[in-house]
Structure formats: structure tokens, C-alpha cells
Amino acid sequence: GAVVSQHPSRVICKSGTSVKIECRSLDFQATTMFWYRQFPKQSLMLMATSNEGSKATYEQGVEKDKFLINHASLTLSTLTVTSAHPEDSSFYICSARGGASTDTQYFGPGTRLTVL
Amino acid sequence: QKEVEQDPGPLSVPEGAIVSLNCTYSNSAFQYFMWYRQYSRKGPELLMYTYSSGNKEDGRFTAQVDKSSKYISLFIRDSQPSDSATYLCAMKRGSGNTPLVFGKGTRLSVIA
């Protein structure tokens, strides 16, 4: 149980385009989903917390107009990187809280974004 | 001082060795402690979850929390090459949506 999927697993795009990443909880309802980014050999940095049906809460320094988060249902959250630039290239990972143990987070496999 | 400190390694051990991974933290409000394993280019996988002080064992893994010393450990017995990964400690102050604070992760290599 407690499986989280992400799609796509990797994406390469041109500078200036927008990219959407999906995060799904496959076997449980996730009241809360989290979005992280991870640079090589660095730890996970929380970008935002999203609750189903409400606006996401962004961490300090994260531009909400650049990283659009939608949590439309209890099993799906999306992160859209708008007008992507090379410095946005990173590993983006979502996690979901819910299931049998609501105090733990279950992570997706991550999406590697490369902006040319 | 960072909230959570973790030696990034790399740590290299022979197969069958006992591995000890550690984190220290500065915020005494942390109550929930977790260890995640992350393989290269994959998302973190939850290994152990502990509330407050004490020990927890699951197969070859043992997690220890010493809140008086603000120190947590993960022990891996009879280590295997498949244990080679980055191990991240994480902790949070309260239940619910309280954010996780991660250590930098320790890279472990188990040599056959």
C-alpha cells in the first residue's frame, strides 16, 4: 500500500516552455501533497504544500506564479513549471500524506526536468 | 547551525558489516523521526518511523532516538550490496501537515 506515482519520469524541454508534472496517490486518498526539488548530492527542499481543494502554501523564496500547483482531487496534484529556464533543471519529487499512517509521507519516484 | 546535521559520507563497508548512520539536530521540538532510503535518481522510500525517544526494529534495520542528546541513529545489520543507497534522516515537530526537515543524506556503498 501507500504507492505514489509521478509522470513523466523525465522531461527535456526548451527554455520558455511550460512543463506539467503529475503526482498521483494510487491506493489511498491524499489529503495533503508536498512538492520538493532536489539538486545533485543535495537534500530535498520543500517547495510547497497543497491540500485538496485549496490553494497551495509556498515556502519562502519559491515563486508561486512560476510553480503552479493544483490539487484538484484526493489522488492527484500537478506542478506546472511555467516559462522554464535552465536554472529550473532539477529533480522534482512529490509526496503524499494519508493512508493508514497519516503522519508519514510517501514519496513518488521523482521527475527529472532538463531545460535546454 | 543547521536544524539537522548529517554526515554526507561517502561511507564504504564490506558486505555483512554492521552499518551505523546518524543525525544530530538542534530543535528540541522535533517529535517524529524518520529514515528514508533513496536510490540514485529515484524518490525516497520510507524505512523507519519513530515517535519520540526509543528503539524500533524492523528486520535488519534498527532505529534509535535519543531526544536528550538530540541524536538519532539507523543501524543496518548484515549489510548487502543492495543496501547501497543514500540514507536520509527526516524529522518534524508535530503531526499533520508540519513540514519534514531533512538531513543532507549519507551515501552508503556496501562492497561485495
Side-chain angles (χ1 to χ4, degrees):
Chain A
V3 178
V4 177
S5 71
Q6 267 182 256
H7 178 80
S9 58
R10 61 189 313 162
V11 56
I12 300 172
C13 69
K14 291 182 179 180
S15 186
T17 60
S18 294
V19 175
K20 180 186 283 188
I21 302 170
E22 292 186 349
C23 176
R24 292 181 186 273
S25 56
L26 298 184
D27 52 1
F28 67 100
Q29 291 186 328
T31 52
T32 305
M33 289 185 169
F34 305 85
W35 287 95
Y36 296 82
R37 65 189 296 182
Q38 186 178 34
F39 291 105
K41 299 184 181 180
Q42 298 292 317
S43 192
L44 286 79
M45 297 297 294
L46 180 65
M47 298 174 66
T49 303
S50 75
N51 291 294
E52 184 264 338
S54 61
K55 289 184 178 179
T57 302
Y58 290 81
E59 295 299 300
Q60 193 173 10
V62 178
E63 298 175 57
K64 62 180 182 181
D65 294 330
K66 180 165 186 64
F67 299 100
L68 301 178
I69 292 172
N70 184 286
H71 193 161
S73 77
L74 286 171
T75 60
L76 173 64
S77 176
T78 60
L79 168 68
T80 301
V81 183
T82 62
S83 186
H85 288 94
E87 58 265 30
D88 297 324
S89 299
S90 187
F91 194 50
Y92 291 87
I93 310 175
C94 71
S95 71
R97 185 176 73 85
S101 174
T102 56
D103 271 324
T104 56
Q105 292 182 30
Y106 299 94
F107 285 82
T111 297
R112 182 158 302 281
L113 170 64
T114 303
V115 185
L116 302 176
Chain B
Q1 182 187 12
K2 290 186 178 179
E3 275 195 296
V4 179
E5 298 276 3
Q6 185 176 8
D7 187 338
L11 178 64
S12 186
V13 301
E15 183 176 359
I18 296 175
V19 176
S20 172
L21 304 166
N22 312 293
C23 288
T24 59
Y25 61 95
S26 57
N27 190 338
S28 59
F30 286 133
Q31 297 281 346
Y32 300 83
F33 304 90
M34 283 139 271
W35 284 95
Y36 287 86
R37 176 174 63 195
Q38 186 176 24
Y39 292 111
S40 181
R41 300 182 181 181
K42 299 290 185 183
E45 170 194 7
L46 180 66
L47 282 178
M48 301 290 280
Y49 167 78
T50 310
Y51 170 69
S52 196
S53 284
N55 294 357
K56 187 172 184 178
E57 188 173 322
D58 184 0
R60 296 185 295 113
F61 299 92
T62 300
Q64 287 186 352
V65 175
D66 182 350
K67 290 189 69 181
S68 62
S69 301
K70 298 190 184 70
Y71 188 89
I72 69 171
S73 302
L74 177 71
F75 298 96
I76 307 174
R77 290 183 298 281
D78 187 25
S79 56
Q80 304 295 311
S82 58
D83 295 328
S84 299
T86 296
Y87 290 80
L88 297 148
C89 65
M91 49 198 78
K92 61 178 187 169
R93 292 183 295 276
S95 59
N97 287 344
T98 313
L100 283 174
V101 180
F102 283 88
K104 274 194 150 183
T106 299
R107 287 179 59 199
L108 171 67
S109 292
V110 180
I111 311 300

